[in-house]
């Protein structure tokens, strides 16, 4: 079974949300429909990045890393052309 680490960007405030899930499509629909309390007031949201992991432990570790300063720098470099337009 795959687990996914994902990053959403709020088109309302321009901020990012990082999370993980077993079902990326369902989780994105939940965010889009306002069913997730941490993002419901920040809609609309765009899925800008995701990674697949082979187990939940790897996904949670990757999620925690992407929320650190170095993880945010990694994402900034990885998405440089997207973020700069």
């Amino acid at each position: 079974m795959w687990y996914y680490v994902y990053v959403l960007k709020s088109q309302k405030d321009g901020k990012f949300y990082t999370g993980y899930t077993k079902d990326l499509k369902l989780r994105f629909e939940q965010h889009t429909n306002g069913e997730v309390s941490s993002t419901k007031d920040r809609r609309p949201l765009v899925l800008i990045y995701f990674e697949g992991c082979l187990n939940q432990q790897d996904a949670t570790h990757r999620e925690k890393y992407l929320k650190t300063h170095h993880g945010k720098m990694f994402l900034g470099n990885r998405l440089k052309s997207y973020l700069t337009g």
Side-chain angles (χ1 to χ4, degrees), residues 8-15 28 31-32 39-46:
L8 305 175
K9 183 177 181 183
S10 167
Q11 293 184 316
K12 183 176 181 180
D13 62 17
K15 294 183 181 179
F28 183 64
H31 283 288
T32 302
T39 58
K40 72 177 183 177
D41 294 330
R42 299 171 59 197
R43 295 177 295 153
L45 301 159
V46 178

Side-chain angles (χ1 to χ4, degrees), residues 1 7 10 18 22-23 28 30 38-40 49 51 55 58 66 69 83:
M1 174 178 290
V7 179
S10 167
T18 303
K22 287 190 291 188
D23 188 336
F28 183 64
Q30 291 171 335
S38 56
T39 58
K40 72 177 183 177
Y49 185 79
E51 297 178 1
N55 59 53
D58 287 346
L66 292 177
H69 174 72
L83 296 173

Side-chain angles (χ1 to χ4, degrees), residues 4 6 10-11 13 18-20 24 41 57 61 66 76 81:
Y4 299 92
Y6 61 94
S10 167
Q11 293 184 316
D13 62 17
T18 303
Y20 83 95
L24 185 58
D41 294 330
Q57 184 178 9
H61 284 118
L66 292 177
S81 62

